[in-house]
Amino acid sequence: MKKLILTALFLPLLISSTFAQMSLSKVSEFKIDLLNPVKILDYYPAQKQYLGYINEGSKGNKIALFSENGKVLVSEKLQGEGPNQIVESINQIAFAEDGTIWVHSSQNLYKYDQNLKKVNKIAFRSKYNITLYSPKKLTYFYEIGVKGDISFISQPSGYSTFFGFTDFLKENLIEVFNPKNEKTYNFAPVSGRSNFSKLDPSIQSIYAPVYSLDKSRGKLYLTTTLDDEISIIDLRSKKKTEAFKIRHENFPVLKSSRISLNNIASKGPINLGAKNDNIYVLSNGTVLLEYIRANSPEVYEQKIAENRNYHHFGDPSYRRLILIRNSKQVGEDIKFPYGEIAMVLPDDTLLIKLLNPDEEEDFTRYGIFRLK
């Protein structure tokens, strides 16, 4: 494997942007000097390691562990037909609580050690046949709080699994697999969403659950890609205990009488609409909803003339945060500097992948930002 040169840059408080009642101040930054793009998905605090992948284009993805300063500790191409590889698509990955790595494929659940050597394989029963080109973060929790009785959520947050269903409006948003008893169960019906009466079957390919777990409180925070409400579900009862409305500054289809593809701006097959993208929960219960604002056909035409691969979903200038404190939205949309949030770290700082939309960089940068 070719030699990798990685450099950590620490630029305290270089960027500080204040909007409404919240500010983001950059604490540090690290740069990964690889020509291939890198995406970080999870963090293991005991050893201060990141888990993610290196995108090698037509050669596929390498699953990788990184130090807190961006050094590549180990990387392996895990998809393939070799003895240490997986034939199926790799859909989700995450650190287990002991620092080993869970890998969820389209059919099975695998355990790898920190040298990325295969340890175990479990059949993963799911009604959804998911095939992703790049992995998302795998989410799990303990049934009734008992460690060892672990359950995994089948569908990646923000990814639609409903395409091809005859009537997705009768489906549930969350499917859970428990390897201990080899059972799969579902909860959070689509019909329970507050805007259910406005949903049109035409949106099945872009309608998806968006969720985050608060394991310490045993709660699941749930919305969908096309929604103006966040629900809180108790993980023991699987019942909704609370819900609060969201005010987006730019989400036109939610104001329509019908949430259908006909009411979402597009340019040919390109969706120009808004969507909820992620939920983050801080240790004090504060909730952050990340969403992508809608684009217009006119702006899209200008952008596509400059860059034929342009899509506003990948343009950081369209990303916004909504802050919810004590179940109430605080202020208006919040911009954040030049990137997309990767995760909330244990000290409630945000790891943000820094993007330069005007220049194609031959390295990957991540910044750590503190909320004020």
Side-chain angles (χ1 to χ4, degrees), residues 56-69:
E56 296 193 325
S58 60
K59 295 181 180 179
N61 298 313
K62 277 187 173 181
I63 306 301
L65 271 67
F66 305 86
S67 73
E68 64 176 338
N69 296 332

Side-chain angles (χ1 to χ4, degrees), residues 136 155-163 168-169 173-174 190 193 195 199-200 202-212 221-231 246 248 250-255 259-261 264 271-279 289-294 312-313 319 322:
K136 308 293 184 183
Q155 318 100 302
S157 177
Y159 182 83
S160 178
T161 54
F162 297 123
F163 187 68
F168 86 94
L169 297 174
L173 289 166
I174 299 296
V190 175
R193 303 311 300 167
N195 62 1
L199 301 181
D200 187 88
S202 64
I203 61 170
Q204 63 174 338
S205 63
I206 60 173
Y207 189 80
V210 177
Y211 58 84
S212 179
Y221 290 75
L222 175 68
T223 187
T224 68
T225 46
L226 303 173
D227 216 319
D228 60 357
E229 180 181 277
I230 294 177
S231 304
I246 301 298
H248 303 80
N250 187 329
F251 211 133
V253 71
L254 295 183
K255 298 179 181 179
I259 300 176
S260 71
L261 286 184
I264 297 175
N271 175 18
L272 301 179
K275 71 169 182 174
N276 295 318
D277 206 40
N278 287 292
I279 295 176
L289 174 67
E290 180 183 8
Y291 87 99
I292 302 172
R293 293 161 62 95
H312 77 292
F313 287 175
R319 291 185 175 267
I322 291 175

Side-chain angles (χ1 to χ4, degrees), residues 15-73:
I15 298 178
S16 179
S17 303
T18 305
F19 299 87
Q21 300 177 35
M22 174 181 170
S23 68
L24 291 171
S25 297
K26 187 161 70 171
V27 177
S28 63
E29 176 182 319
F30 58 88
K31 183 173 72 170
I32 304 173
D33 281 322
L34 292 175
L35 292 176
N36 299 110
V38 171
K39 188 156 189 175
I40 291 174
L41 297 174
D42 203 3
Y43 180 70
Y44 183 50
Q47 295 181 344
K48 298 181 179 180
Q49 294 177 351
Y50 294 109
L51 172 67
Y53 65 89
I54 302 167
N55 184 343
E56 296 193 325
S58 60
K59 295 181 180 179
N61 298 313
K62 277 187 173 181
I63 306 301
L65 271 67
F66 305 86
S67 73
E68 64 176 338
N69 296 332
K71 179 181 179 181
V72 176
L73 302 174

Side-chain angles (χ1 to χ4, degrees), residues 2 29 91 148 178 180 203 215 245 262 269 352 366:
K2 66 180 182 179
E29 176 182 319
N91 292 332
N178 185 306
K180 185 176 180 180
I203 61 170
K215 295 181 185 179
K245 286 290 185 181
N262 290 335
I352 298 180
Y366 278 90

Side-chain angles (χ1 to χ4, degrees), residues 141-146 218-219 233-239:
F141 62 96
Y142 295 106
E143 293 288 341
I144 64 170
V146 178
K219 295 179 179 181
I233 297 175
D234 178 79
L235 287 173
R236 292 196 177 204
S237 67
K238 310 302 186 292
K239 301 296 184 182

Side-chain angles (χ1 to χ4, degrees), residues 87-305:
V87 177
E88 316 96 71
S89 66
I90 295 176
N91 292 332
Q92 301 183 87
I93 60 175
F95 277 117
E97 292 204 349
D98 63 358
T100 56
I101 293 97
W102 291 111
V103 178
H104 172 219
S105 77
S106 55
Q107 300 176 28
N108 298 291
L109 181 68
Y110 297 87
K111 176 69 77 69
Y112 281 78
D113 64 22
Q114 286 212 338
N115 294 314
L116 294 179
K117 302 302 179 185
K118 191 187 298 181
V119 175
N120 196 13
K121 172 185 174 182
I122 304 169
F124 194 112
R125 291 179 172 82
S126 174
K127 68 186 293 184
Y128 303 110
N129 185 15
I130 305 172
T131 300
L132 300 183
Y133 295 106
S134 295
K136 308 293 184 183
K137 183 181 177 180
L138 177 63
T139 305
Y140 61 88
F141 62 96
Y142 295 106
E143 293 288 341
I144 64 170
V146 178
K147 287 196 173 183
D149 194 7
I150 193 169
S151 290
F152 299 86
I153 298 181
S154 303
Q155 318 100 302
S157 177
Y159 182 83
S160 178
T161 54
F162 297 123
F163 187 68
F165 279 67
T166 54
D167 191 355
F168 86 94
L169 297 174
K170 296 180 180 179
E171 294 293 322
N172 287 279
L173 289 166
I174 299 296
E175 180 188 77
V176 174
F177 172 66
N178 185 306
K180 185 176 180 180
N181 56 31
E182 298 184 346
K183 289 185 178 180
T184 303
Y185 62 88
N186 304 81
F187 63 94
V190 175
S191 60
R193 303 311 300 167
S194 63
N195 62 1
F196 173 74
S197 62
K198 297 169 63 175
L199 301 181
D200 187 88
S202 64
I203 61 170
Q204 63 174 338
S205 63
I206 60 173
Y207 189 80
V210 177
Y211 58 84
S212 179
L213 281 176
D214 185 346
K215 295 181 185 179
S216 64
R217 297 179 176 88
K219 295 179 179 181
L220 176 76
Y221 290 75
L222 175 68
T223 187
T224 68
T225 46
L226 303 173
D227 216 319
D228 60 357
E229 180 181 277
I230 294 177
S231 304
I232 301 177
I233 297 175
D234 178 79
L235 287 173
R236 292 196 177 204
S237 67
K238 310 302 186 292
K239 301 296 184 182
K240 181 167 65 175
T241 60
E242 187 180 353
F244 38 87
K245 286 290 185 181
I246 301 298
R247 304 183 311 274
H248 303 80
E249 287 186 10
N250 187 329
F251 211 133
V253 71
L254 295 183
K255 298 179 181 179
S256 302
S257 60
R258 193 71 174 160
I259 300 176
S260 71
L261 286 184
N262 290 335
N263 290 331
I264 297 175
S266 64
K267 190 67 178 179
I270 304 299
N271 175 18
L272 301 179
K275 71 169 182 174
N276 295 318
D277 206 40
N278 287 292
I279 295 176
Y280 308 97
V281 183
L282 307 186
S283 60
N284 64 1
T286 296
V287 178
L288 298 171
L289 174 67
E290 180 183 8
Y291 87 99
I292 302 172
R293 293 161 62 95
N295 199 351
S296 69
E298 294 76 21
V299 171
Y300 174 75
E301 286 182 351
Q302 294 174 3
K303 294 290 187 178
I304 202 71

